[in-house]
Amino acid sequence: MSDNSIIKLENVSICFKSYNDNIKSLKEFVTKTIKREIKSNVFWALQDVSFEINKGDVIGIMGRNGAGKSTLLKIISGIIKPTKGKVTVKGNIVPMLELGSGFDFDLTGRENIFLNGAILGYSEEFLNSKFDEIVEFSELGDFINAPIRNYSSGMMMRLAFSIATIVKPDIMIVDEILSVGDEAFQKKSFARMRELMSGGTTVLMVSHSTEQIRSMCNKAVWLDNKKVKMIGTAEEVCDAYKL
């Protein structure tokens, strides 16, 4: 791993098992497991993926549905471990993969700022210092004191995005979340992302829009059939992808 490298994947593969048996209870599952009556299919989500990312790179991850894009981001984030291969990461990561997944629906927006912030590794002191900024960016106003079970999905996404992007992490991982909220908030989201990128944050982002990748990324990785088909500049990969 070079001095300027911040992420390195070496022959990363991951497989999942699916079960065909129509099992209706845990007891039935245990019984069939002991008797070795369960039949499973092995599904490889990624195979032999290798590449290196330098500090400050903004990488677009491209590919058709089912190519393994989201799985790749989860492996780099440390959410799931590869079956084979090695992932090396230098620096702290803020993964924006499932915005709001750490929210408690019975708590208020205010309380969830501290809950979700803690999950992301922010201290209570830091969150207190940034609280007003988070609320202002989310545009929730007095709704910040309401239980988030009363929020629309757009309101929850706005709050989650505001919490996740309050700091400038070494690495940010983004999975198709730049369409958060209405058009006005989307523009704010893009501006915040560009601010992070210009500040030296390394970004990996999944997008189905080649125009978005051209405008925001300097490099791109094209996944096809669970493998890396092409790595290069954003322009080169987007041109090839559209052929």
Side-chain angles (χ1 to χ4, degrees), residues 6-9 12 46 49 51 53 59 61 69-82 86-91 93 95 97 171-173 204 221:
I6 196 166
I7 299 170
K8 186 176 183 180
L9 282 76
V12 168
L46 289 172
V49 172
F51 58 84
I53 296 172
I59 309 292
I61 310 294
K69 302 184 297 297
S70 294
T71 300
L72 175 64
L73 297 189
K74 288 177 181 177
I75 289 174
I76 295 172
S77 300
I79 295 171
I80 55 178
K81 293 187 178 297
K86 181 181 179 182
V87 180
T88 306
V89 177
K90 296 192 296 188
I93 298 177
L97 303 179
I171 303 164
M172 179 167 285
I173 296 184
L204 286 84
V221 176

PDB file of all heavy atoms in Angstrom, residues 6-9 12 46 49 51 53 59 61 69-82 86-91 93 95 97 171-173 204 221:
ATOM      1  N   ILE A   6      -5.248   5.269   0.467  1.00  0.00           N
ATOM      2  CA  ILE A   6      -6.088   5.296   1.664  1.00  0.00           C
ATOM      3  C   ILE A   6      -6.984   4.057   1.754  1.00  0.00           C
ATOM      4  O   ILE A   6      -7.409   3.660   2.834  1.00  0.00           O
ATOM      5  CB  ILE A   6      -6.917   6.602   1.705  1.00  0.00           C
ATOM      6  CG1 ILE A   6      -7.495   6.840   3.094  1.00  0.00           C
ATOM      7  CG2 ILE A   6      -8.009   6.613   0.641  1.00  0.00           C
ATOM      8  CD1 ILE A   6      -8.035   8.248   3.308  1.00  0.00           C
ATOM      9  N   ILE A   7      -7.264   3.437   0.608  1.00  0.00           N
ATOM     10  CA  ILE A   7      -8.058   2.201   0.562  1.00  0.00           C
ATOM     11  C   ILE A   7      -7.414   1.249  -0.438  1.00  0.00           C
ATOM     12  O   ILE A   7      -7.052   1.658  -1.538  1.00  0.00           O
ATOM     13  CB  ILE A   7      -9.520   2.467   0.129  1.00  0.00           C
ATOM     14  CG1 ILE A   7     -10.224   3.404   1.121  1.00  0.00           C
ATOM     15  CG2 ILE A   7     -10.308   1.163   0.004  1.00  0.00           C
ATOM     16  CD1 ILE A   7     -11.570   3.894   0.633  1.00  0.00           C
ATOM     17  N   LYS A   8      -7.276  -0.013  -0.052  1.00  0.00           N
ATOM     18  CA  LYS A   8      -6.734  -1.016  -0.961  1.00  0.00           C
ATOM     19  C   LYS A   8      -7.515  -2.317  -0.824  1.00  0.00           C
ATOM     20  O   LYS A   8      -7.678  -2.837   0.285  1.00  0.00           O
ATOM     21  CB  LYS A   8      -5.250  -1.268  -0.683  1.00  0.00           C
ATOM     22  CG  LYS A   8      -4.602  -2.206  -1.694  1.00  0.00           C
ATOM     23  CD  LYS A   8      -3.106  -2.348  -1.444  1.00  0.00           C
ATOM     24  CE  LYS A   8      -2.445  -3.231  -2.502  1.00  0.00           C
ATOM     25  NZ  LYS A   8      -0.984  -3.357  -2.252  1.00  0.00           N
ATOM     26  N   LEU A   9      -8.011  -2.829  -1.948  1.00  0.00           N
ATOM     27  CA  LEU A   9      -8.689  -4.110  -1.993  1.00  0.00           C
ATOM     28  C   LEU A   9      -7.820  -5.094  -2.761  1.00  0.00           C
ATOM     29  O   LEU A   9      -7.341  -4.774  -3.858  1.00  0.00           O
ATOM     30  CB  LEU A   9     -10.058  -4.002  -2.675  1.00  0.00           C
ATOM     31  CG  LEU A   9     -11.200  -3.418  -1.850  1.00  0.00           C
ATOM     32  CD1 LEU A   9     -11.065  -1.911  -1.731  1.00  0.00           C
ATOM     33  CD2 LEU A   9     -12.541  -3.771  -2.465  1.00  0.00           C
ATOM     34  N   VAL A  12     -10.714  -9.381  -3.424  1.00  0.00           N
ATOM     35  CA  VAL A  12     -11.865  -9.470  -2.517  1.00  0.00           C
ATOM     36  C   VAL A  12     -13.022 -10.210  -3.188  1.00  0.00           C
ATOM     37  O   VAL A  12     -13.442  -9.878  -4.292  1.00  0.00           O
ATOM     38  CB  VAL A  12     -12.322  -8.064  -2.070  1.00  0.00           C
ATOM     39  CG1 VAL A  12     -13.672  -8.124  -1.378  1.00  0.00           C
ATOM     40  CG2 VAL A  12     -11.280  -7.447  -1.145  1.00  0.00           C
ATOM     41  N   LEU A  46     -19.482 -10.832  -5.186  1.00  0.00           N
ATOM     42  CA  LEU A  46     -18.289 -10.199  -5.753  1.00  0.00           C
ATOM     43  C   LEU A  46     -17.207 -11.264  -5.904  1.00  0.00           C
ATOM     44  O   LEU A  46     -17.101 -12.159  -5.069  1.00  0.00           O
ATOM     45  CB  LEU A  46     -17.764  -9.070  -4.859  1.00  0.00           C
ATOM     46  CG  LEU A  46     -18.563  -7.768  -4.766  1.00  0.00           C
ATOM     47  CD1 LEU A  46     -17.977  -6.877  -3.682  1.00  0.00           C
ATOM     48  CD2 LEU A  46     -18.582  -7.028  -6.103  1.00  0.00           C
ATOM     49  N   VAL A  49     -12.087  -8.841  -6.640  1.00  0.00           N
ATOM     50  CA  VAL A  49     -12.071  -7.390  -6.860  1.00  0.00           C
ATOM     51  C   VAL A  49     -10.802  -6.801  -6.236  1.00  0.00           C
ATOM     52  O   VAL A  49     -10.548  -6.967  -5.048  1.00  0.00           O
ATOM     53  CB  VAL A  49     -13.317  -6.721  -6.247  1.00  0.00           C
ATOM     54  CG1 VAL A  49     -13.202  -5.199  -6.312  1.00  0.00           C
ATOM     55  CG2 VAL A  49     -14.569  -7.201  -6.964  1.00  0.00           C
ATOM     56  N   PHE A  51      -8.394  -3.131  -6.327  1.00  0.00           N
ATOM     57  CA  PHE A  51      -8.039  -1.786  -6.775  1.00  0.00           C
ATOM     58  C   PHE A  51      -7.549  -0.986  -5.580  1.00  0.00           C
ATOM     59  O   PHE A  51      -7.724  -1.381  -4.425  1.00  0.00           O
ATOM     60  CB  PHE A  51      -9.185  -1.062  -7.495  1.00  0.00           C
ATOM     61  CG  PHE A  51     -10.445  -0.891  -6.701  1.00  0.00           C
ATOM     62  CD1 PHE A  51     -10.608   0.158  -5.817  1.00  0.00           C
ATOM     63  CD2 PHE A  51     -11.500  -1.786  -6.868  1.00  0.00           C
ATOM     64  CE1 PHE A  51     -11.783   0.327  -5.107  1.00  0.00           C
ATOM     65  CE2 PHE A  51     -12.684  -1.634  -6.162  1.00  0.00           C
ATOM     66  CZ  PHE A  51     -12.825  -0.577  -5.275  1.00  0.00           C
ATOM     67  N   ILE A  53      -7.209   3.108  -3.937  1.00  0.00           N
ATOM     68  CA  ILE A  53      -7.740   4.465  -3.989  1.00  0.00           C
ATOM     69  C   ILE A  53      -6.812   5.391  -3.219  1.00  0.00           C
ATOM     70  O   ILE A  53      -6.410   5.077  -2.093  1.00  0.00           O
ATOM     71  CB  ILE A  53      -9.162   4.527  -3.390  1.00  0.00           C
ATOM     72  CG1 ILE A  53     -10.119   3.689  -4.234  1.00  0.00           C
ATOM     73  CG2 ILE A  53      -9.653   5.965  -3.282  1.00  0.00           C
ATOM     74  CD1 ILE A  53     -11.490   3.529  -3.626  1.00  0.00           C
ATOM     75  N   ILE A  59     -14.417   8.684  -6.210  1.00  0.00           N
ATOM     76  CA  ILE A  59     -14.593   7.503  -7.049  1.00  0.00           C
ATOM     77  C   ILE A  59     -16.066   7.222  -7.290  1.00  0.00           C
ATOM     78  O   ILE A  59     -16.851   7.079  -6.347  1.00  0.00           O
ATOM     79  CB  ILE A  59     -13.960   6.252  -6.392  1.00  0.00           C
ATOM     80  CG1 ILE A  59     -12.519   6.527  -5.969  1.00  0.00           C
ATOM     81  CG2 ILE A  59     -14.050   5.048  -7.317  1.00  0.00           C
ATOM     82  CD1 ILE A  59     -11.563   6.725  -7.101  1.00  0.00           C
ATOM     83  N   ILE A  61     -18.776   4.518  -8.451  1.00  0.00           N
ATOM     84  CA  ILE A  61     -18.948   3.075  -8.606  1.00  0.00           C
ATOM     85  C   ILE A  61     -20.139   2.859  -9.528  1.00  0.00           C
ATOM     86  O   ILE A  61     -21.268   3.254  -9.212  1.00  0.00           O
ATOM     87  CB  ILE A  61     -19.193   2.366  -7.262  1.00  0.00           C
ATOM     88  CG1 ILE A  61     -18.132   2.780  -6.232  1.00  0.00           C
ATOM     89  CG2 ILE A  61     -19.218   0.853  -7.452  1.00  0.00           C
ATOM     90  CD1 ILE A  61     -16.741   2.336  -6.541  1.00  0.00           C
ATOM     91  N   LYS A  69     -22.458  -3.405  -6.431  1.00  0.00           N
ATOM     92  CA  LYS A  69     -22.010  -2.073  -6.015  1.00  0.00           C
ATOM     93  C   LYS A  69     -22.223  -1.830  -4.520  1.00  0.00           C
ATOM     94  O   LYS A  69     -21.298  -1.437  -3.809  1.00  0.00           O
ATOM     95  CB  LYS A  69     -22.751  -1.003  -6.837  1.00  0.00           C
ATOM     96  CG  LYS A  69     -22.582  -1.120  -8.336  1.00  0.00           C
ATOM     97  CD  LYS A  69     -23.249   0.014  -9.081  1.00  0.00           C
ATOM     98  CE  LYS A  69     -24.753   0.054  -8.885  1.00  0.00           C
ATOM     99  NZ  LYS A  69     -25.443  -1.155  -9.406  1.00  0.00           N
ATOM    100  N   SER A  70     -23.446  -2.039  -4.045  1.00  0.00           N
ATOM    101  CA  SER A  70     -23.747  -1.793  -2.640  1.00  0.00           C
ATOM    102  C   SER A  70     -22.985  -2.755  -1.732  1.00  0.00           C
ATOM    103  O   SER A  70     -22.532  -2.366  -0.638  1.00  0.00           O
ATOM    104  CB  SER A  70     -25.254  -1.922  -2.389  1.00  0.00           C
ATOM    105  OG  SER A  70     -25.958  -0.901  -3.075  1.00  0.00           O
ATOM    106  N   THR A  71     -22.830  -3.985  -2.179  1.00  0.00           N
ATOM    107  CA  THR A  71     -22.058  -4.970  -1.398  1.00  0.00           C
ATOM    108  C   THR A  71     -20.616  -4.513  -1.252  1.00  0.00           C
ATOM    109  O   THR A  71     -20.019  -4.609  -0.172  1.00  0.00           O
ATOM    110  CB  THR A  71     -22.101  -6.358  -2.086  1.00  0.00           C
ATOM    111  OG1 THR A  71     -23.464  -6.783  -2.184  1.00  0.00           O
ATOM    112  CG2 THR A  71     -21.309  -7.380  -1.290  1.00  0.00           C
ATOM    113  N   LEU A  72     -20.050  -3.981  -2.321  1.00  0.00           N
ATOM    114  CA  LEU A  72     -18.683  -3.482  -2.284  1.00  0.00           C
ATOM    115  C   LEU A  72     -18.536  -2.365  -1.253  1.00  0.00           C
ATOM    116  O   LEU A  72     -17.579  -2.353  -0.461  1.00  0.00           O
ATOM    117  CB  LEU A  72     -18.282  -2.967  -3.674  1.00  0.00           C
ATOM    118  CG  LEU A  72     -16.912  -2.297  -3.780  1.00  0.00           C
ATOM    119  CD1 LEU A  72     -15.799  -3.285  -3.477  1.00  0.00           C
ATOM    120  CD2 LEU A  72     -16.718  -1.690  -5.169  1.00  0.00           C
ATOM    121  N   LEU A  73     -19.473  -1.431  -1.226  1.00  0.00           N
ATOM    122  CA  LEU A  73     -19.404  -0.329  -0.273  1.00  0.00           C
ATOM    123  C   LEU A  73     -19.518  -0.826   1.160  1.00  0.00           C
ATOM    124  O   LEU A  73     -18.853  -0.312   2.062  1.00  0.00           O
ATOM    125  CB  LEU A  73     -20.511   0.694  -0.559  1.00  0.00           C
ATOM    126  CG  LEU A  73     -20.456   1.414  -1.910  1.00  0.00           C
ATOM    127  CD1 LEU A  73     -21.488   2.538  -1.939  1.00  0.00           C
ATOM    128  CD2 LEU A  73     -19.074   1.975  -2.202  1.00  0.00           C
ATOM    129  N   LYS A  74     -20.354  -1.824   1.387  1.00  0.00           N
ATOM    130  CA  LYS A  74     -20.510  -2.378   2.737  1.00  0.00           C
ATOM    131  C   LYS A  74     -19.241  -3.086   3.200  1.00  0.00           C
ATOM    132  O   LYS A  74     -18.895  -3.047   4.379  1.00  0.00           O
ATOM    133  CB  LYS A  74     -21.703  -3.335   2.777  1.00  0.00           C
ATOM    134  CG  LYS A  74     -23.039  -2.621   2.706  1.00  0.00           C
ATOM    135  CD  LYS A  74     -24.205  -3.599   2.680  1.00  0.00           C
ATOM    136  CE  LYS A  74     -25.535  -2.854   2.592  1.00  0.00           C
ATOM    137  NZ  LYS A  74     -26.688  -3.777   2.489  1.00  0.00           N
ATOM    138  N   ILE A  75     -18.536  -3.728   2.271  1.00  0.00           N
ATOM    139  CA  ILE A  75     -17.271  -4.382   2.624  1.00  0.00           C
ATOM    140  C   ILE A  75     -16.221  -3.341   2.994  1.00  0.00           C
ATOM    141  O   ILE A  75     -15.519  -3.470   4.002  1.00  0.00           O
ATOM    142  CB  ILE A  75     -16.778  -5.266   1.456  1.00  0.00           C
ATOM    143  CG1 ILE A  75     -17.675  -6.506   1.316  1.00  0.00           C
ATOM    144  CG2 ILE A  75     -15.329  -5.693   1.670  1.00  0.00           C
ATOM    145  CD1 ILE A  75     -17.355  -7.349   0.105  1.00  0.00           C
ATOM    146  N   ILE A  76     -16.109  -2.288   2.193  1.00  0.00           N
ATOM    147  CA  ILE A  76     -15.127  -1.239   2.481  1.00  0.00           C
ATOM    148  C   ILE A  76     -15.464  -0.540   3.804  1.00  0.00           C
ATOM    149  O   ILE A  76     -14.572  -0.185   4.574  1.00  0.00           O
ATOM    150  CB  ILE A  76     -15.068  -0.222   1.325  1.00  0.00           C
ATOM    151  CG1 ILE A  76     -14.535  -0.905   0.054  1.00  0.00           C
ATOM    152  CG2 ILE A  76     -14.177   0.966   1.688  1.00  0.00           C
ATOM    153  CD1 ILE A  76     -14.621  -0.058  -1.194  1.00  0.00           C
ATOM    154  N   SER A  77     -16.767  -0.377   4.081  1.00  0.00           N
ATOM    155  CA  SER A  77     -17.202   0.269   5.320  1.00  0.00           C
ATOM    156  C   SER A  77     -16.965  -0.602   6.545  1.00  0.00           C
ATOM    157  O   SER A  77     -17.015  -0.103   7.673  1.00  0.00           O
ATOM    158  CB  SER A  77     -18.696   0.603   5.256  1.00  0.00           C
ATOM    159  OG  SER A  77     -18.973   1.479   4.190  1.00  0.00           O
ATOM    160  N   GLY A  78     -16.753  -1.900   6.332  1.00  0.00           N
ATOM    161  CA  GLY A  78     -16.564  -2.812   7.452  1.00  0.00           C
ATOM    162  C   GLY A  78     -17.861  -3.379   7.988  1.00  0.00           C
ATOM    163  O   GLY A  78     -17.871  -4.054   9.026  1.00  0.00           O
ATOM    164  N   ILE A  79     -18.976  -3.121   7.290  1.00  0.00           N
ATOM    165  CA  ILE A  79     -20.279  -3.629   7.724  1.00  0.00           C
ATOM    166  C   ILE A  79     -20.350  -5.138   7.532  1.00  0.00           C
ATOM    167  O   ILE A  79     -20.910  -5.861   8.358  1.00  0.00           O
ATOM    168  CB  ILE A  79     -21.416  -2.918   6.953  1.00  0.00           C
ATOM    169  CG1 ILE A  79     -21.438  -1.434   7.321  1.00  0.00           C
ATOM    170  CG2 ILE A  79     -22.769  -3.560   7.247  1.00  0.00           C
ATOM    171  CD1 ILE A  79     -22.369  -0.597   6.471  1.00  0.00           C
ATOM    172  N   ILE A  80     -19.788  -5.634   6.430  1.00  0.00           N
ATOM    173  CA  ILE A  80     -19.695  -7.077   6.194  1.00  0.00           C
ATOM    174  C   ILE A  80     -18.254  -7.416   5.837  1.00  0.00           C
ATOM    175  O   ILE A  80     -17.515  -6.569   5.325  1.00  0.00           O
ATOM    176  CB  ILE A  80     -20.658  -7.562   5.080  1.00  0.00           C
ATOM    177  CG1 ILE A  80     -20.437  -6.779   3.776  1.00  0.00           C
ATOM    178  CG2 ILE A  80     -22.095  -7.455   5.523  1.00  0.00           C
ATOM    179  CD1 ILE A  80     -21.319  -7.256   2.634  1.00  0.00           C
ATOM    180  N   LYS A  81     -17.860  -8.637   6.136  1.00  0.00           N
ATOM    181  CA  LYS A  81     -16.484  -9.071   5.888  1.00  0.00           C
ATOM    182  C   LYS A  81     -16.440  -9.921   4.622  1.00  0.00           C
ATOM    183  O   LYS A  81     -17.339 -10.721   4.370  1.00  0.00           O
ATOM    184  CB  LYS A  81     -15.947  -9.882   7.076  1.00  0.00           C
ATOM    185  CG  LYS A  81     -15.782  -9.052   8.337  1.00  0.00           C
ATOM    186  CD  LYS A  81     -15.103  -9.849   9.430  1.00  0.00           C
ATOM    187  CE  LYS A  81     -14.899  -9.001  10.675  1.00  0.00           C
ATOM    188  NZ  LYS A  81     -14.003  -7.850  10.425  1.00  0.00           N
ATOM    189  N   PRO A  82     -15.378  -9.781   3.834  1.00  0.00           N
ATOM    190  CA  PRO A  82     -15.269 -10.594   2.623  1.00  0.00           C
ATOM    191  C   PRO A  82     -15.022 -12.059   2.954  1.00  0.00           C
ATOM    192  O   PRO A  82     -14.434 -12.386   3.986  1.00  0.00           O
ATOM    193  CB  PRO A  82     -14.072  -9.974   1.891  1.00  0.00           C
ATOM    194  CG  PRO A  82     -13.263  -9.330   2.970  1.00  0.00           C
ATOM    195  CD  PRO A  82     -14.239  -8.862   3.999  1.00  0.00           C
ATOM    196  N   LYS A  86      -8.491  -9.289   1.016  1.00  0.00           N
ATOM    197  CA  LYS A  86      -8.085  -8.374   2.082  1.00  0.00           C
ATOM    198  C   LYS A  86      -8.473  -6.944   1.734  1.00  0.00           C
ATOM    199  O   LYS A  86      -8.322  -6.503   0.596  1.00  0.00           O
ATOM    200  CB  LYS A  86      -6.561  -8.467   2.273  1.00  0.00           C
ATOM    201  CG  LYS A  86      -6.007  -7.579   3.373  1.00  0.00           C
ATOM    202  CD  LYS A  86      -4.486  -7.736   3.460  1.00  0.00           C
ATOM    203  CE  LYS A  86      -3.890  -6.831   4.531  1.00  0.00           C
ATOM    204  NZ  LYS A  86      -2.403  -6.941   4.576  1.00  0.00           N
ATOM    205  N   VAL A  87      -8.973  -6.219   2.751  1.00  0.00           N
ATOM    206  CA  VAL A  87      -9.306  -4.803   2.608  1.00  0.00           C
ATOM    207  C   VAL A  87      -8.490  -4.012   3.625  1.00  0.00           C
ATOM    208  O   VAL A  87      -8.520  -4.317   4.811  1.00  0.00           O
ATOM    209  CB  VAL A  87     -10.807  -4.542   2.855  1.00  0.00           C
ATOM    210  CG1 VAL A  87     -11.119  -3.050   2.700  1.00  0.00           C
ATOM    211  CG2 VAL A  87     -11.656  -5.356   1.903  1.00  0.00           C
ATOM    212  N   THR A  88      -7.750  -3.014   3.145  1.00  0.00           N
ATOM    213  CA  THR A  88      -6.963  -2.154   4.025  1.00  0.00           C
ATOM    214  C   THR A  88      -7.478  -0.728   3.905  1.00  0.00           C
ATOM    215  O   THR A  88      -7.597  -0.200   2.792  1.00  0.00           O
ATOM    216  CB  THR A  88      -5.469  -2.192   3.654  1.00  0.00           C
ATOM    217  OG1 THR A  88      -5.018  -3.546   3.637  1.00  0.00           O
ATOM    218  CG2 THR A  88      -4.643  -1.401   4.663  1.00  0.00           C
ATOM    219  N   VAL A  89      -7.812  -0.126   5.046  1.00  0.00           N
ATOM    220  CA  VAL A  89      -8.344   1.241   5.068  1.00  0.00           C
ATOM    221  C   VAL A  89      -7.559   2.062   6.071  1.00  0.00           C
ATOM    222  O   VAL A  89      -7.350   1.629   7.211  1.00  0.00           O
ATOM    223  CB  VAL A  89      -9.843   1.254   5.448  1.00  0.00           C
ATOM    224  CG1 VAL A  89     -10.352   2.684   5.538  1.00  0.00           C
ATOM    225  CG2 VAL A  89     -10.661   0.457   4.440  1.00  0.00           C
ATOM    226  N   LYS A  90      -7.118   3.247   5.665  1.00  0.00           N
ATOM    227  CA  LYS A  90      -6.424   4.173   6.559  1.00  0.00           C
ATOM    228  C   LYS A  90      -7.307   5.406   6.742  1.00  0.00           C
ATOM    229  O   LYS A  90      -7.577   6.119   5.780  1.00  0.00           O
ATOM    230  CB  LYS A  90      -5.062   4.573   5.974  1.00  0.00           C
ATOM    231  CG  LYS A  90      -4.081   3.419   5.849  1.00  0.00           C
ATOM    232  CD  LYS A  90      -2.667   3.891   5.540  1.00  0.00           C
ATOM    233  CE  LYS A  90      -2.541   4.567   4.212  1.00  0.00           C
ATOM    234  NZ  LYS A  90      -1.129   4.847   3.838  1.00  0.00           N
ATOM    235  N   GLY A  91      -7.742   5.658   7.986  1.00  0.00           N
ATOM    236  CA  GLY A  91      -8.577   6.821   8.241  1.00  0.00           C
ATOM    237  C   GLY A  91      -9.971   6.423   8.686  1.00  0.00           C
ATOM    238  O   GLY A  91     -10.366   5.267   8.602  1.00  0.00           O
ATOM    239  N   ILE A  93     -14.122   6.446   8.578  1.00  0.00           N
ATOM    240  CA  ILE A  93     -15.125   6.356   7.518  1.00  0.00           C
ATOM    241  C   ILE A  93     -16.481   6.809   8.034  1.00  0.00           C
ATOM    242  O   ILE A  93     -16.894   6.419   9.127  1.00  0.00           O
ATOM    243  CB  ILE A  93     -15.255   4.905   7.000  1.00  0.00           C
ATOM    244  CG1 ILE A  93     -13.940   4.418   6.388  1.00  0.00           C
ATOM    245  CG2 ILE A  93     -16.380   4.791   5.984  1.00  0.00           C
ATOM    246  CD1 ILE A  93     -13.976   2.975   5.930  1.00  0.00           C
ATOM    247  N   PRO A  95     -20.062   6.103   6.653  1.00  0.00           N
ATOM    248  CA  PRO A  95     -20.843   5.441   5.599  1.00  0.00           C
ATOM    249  C   PRO A  95     -22.267   5.986   5.553  1.00  0.00           C
ATOM    250  O   PRO A  95     -22.975   5.970   6.555  1.00  0.00           O
ATOM    251  CB  PRO A  95     -20.833   3.964   6.047  1.00  0.00           C
ATOM    252  CG  PRO A  95     -20.691   4.015   7.527  1.00  0.00           C
ATOM    253  CD  PRO A  95     -20.027   5.325   7.887  1.00  0.00           C
ATOM    254  N   LEU A  97     -24.957   4.740   3.828  1.00  0.00           N
ATOM    255  CA  LEU A  97     -25.499   3.652   3.023  1.00  0.00           C
ATOM    256  C   LEU A  97     -26.988   3.457   3.248  1.00  0.00           C
ATOM    257  O   LEU A  97     -27.737   3.247   2.314  1.00  0.00           O
ATOM    258  CB  LEU A  97     -24.753   2.346   3.331  1.00  0.00           C
ATOM    259  CG  LEU A  97     -23.235   2.415   3.105  1.00  0.00           C
ATOM    260  CD1 LEU A  97     -22.585   1.081   3.453  1.00  0.00           C
ATOM    261  CD2 LEU A  97     -22.925   2.787   1.667  1.00  0.00           C
ATOM    262  N   ILE A 171     -12.837   9.496   4.909  1.00  0.00           N
ATOM    263  CA  ILE A 171     -13.491   8.736   3.832  1.00  0.00           C
ATOM    264  C   ILE A 171     -14.994   8.813   4.008  1.00  0.00           C
ATOM    265  O   ILE A 171     -15.514   8.599   5.104  1.00  0.00           O
ATOM    266  CB  ILE A 171     -13.060   7.251   3.859  1.00  0.00           C
ATOM    267  CG1 ILE A 171     -11.536   7.122   3.762  1.00  0.00           C
ATOM    268  CG2 ILE A 171     -13.736   6.464   2.743  1.00  0.00           C
ATOM    269  CD1 ILE A 171     -11.010   5.751   4.165  1.00  0.00           C
ATOM    270  N   MET A 172     -15.690   9.126   2.933  1.00  0.00           N
ATOM    271  CA  MET A 172     -17.154   9.106   2.952  1.00  0.00           C
ATOM    272  C   MET A 172     -17.643   8.138   1.887  1.00  0.00           C
ATOM    273  O   MET A 172     -17.154   8.143   0.753  1.00  0.00           O
ATOM    274  CB  MET A 172     -17.727  10.501   2.704  1.00  0.00           C
ATOM    275  CG  MET A 172     -19.246  10.532   2.698  1.00  0.00           C
ATOM    276  SD  MET A 172     -19.888  12.220   2.790  1.00  0.00           S
ATOM    277  CE  MET A 172     -19.598  12.585   4.510  1.00  0.00           C
ATOM    278  N   ILE A 173     -18.602   7.302   2.270  1.00  0.00           N
ATOM    279  CA  ILE A 173     -19.125   6.286   1.362  1.00  0.00           C
ATOM    280  C   ILE A 173     -20.613   6.540   1.165  1.00  0.00           C
ATOM    281  O   ILE A 173     -21.386   6.580   2.123  1.00  0.00           O
ATOM    282  CB  ILE A 173     -18.854   4.869   1.907  1.00  0.00           C
ATOM    283  CG1 ILE A 173     -17.338   4.649   1.951  1.00  0.00           C
ATOM    284  CG2 ILE A 173     -19.540   3.821   1.074  1.00  0.00           C
ATOM    285  CD1 ILE A 173     -16.905   3.286   2.376  1.00  0.00           C
ATOM    286  N   LEU A 204     -16.363   7.619  -2.042  1.00  0.00           N
ATOM    287  CA  LEU A 204     -16.806   6.563  -2.941  1.00  0.00           C
ATOM    288  C   LEU A 204     -18.311   6.682  -3.058  1.00  0.00           C
ATOM    289  O   LEU A 204     -19.015   6.702  -2.043  1.00  0.00           O
ATOM    290  CB  LEU A 204     -16.460   5.172  -2.411  1.00  0.00           C
ATOM    291  CG  LEU A 204     -15.004   4.734  -2.485  1.00  0.00           C
ATOM    292  CD1 LEU A 204     -14.233   5.264  -1.286  1.00  0.00           C
ATOM    293  CD2 LEU A 204     -14.908   3.218  -2.521  1.00  0.00           C
ATOM    294  N   VAL A 221     -15.026   3.177 -11.115  1.00  0.00           N
ATOM    295  CA  VAL A 221     -14.873   1.721 -11.155  1.00  0.00           C
ATOM    296  C   VAL A 221     -16.158   1.152 -11.728  1.00  0.00           C
ATOM    297  O   VAL A 221     -17.251   1.433 -11.224  1.00  0.00           O
ATOM    298  CB  VAL A 221     -14.628   1.142  -9.745  1.00  0.00           C
ATOM    299  CG1 VAL A 221     -14.565  -0.383  -9.795  1.00  0.00           C
ATOM    300  CG2 VAL A 221     -13.349   1.706  -9.143  1.00  0.00           C
TER     301      VAL A 221
END
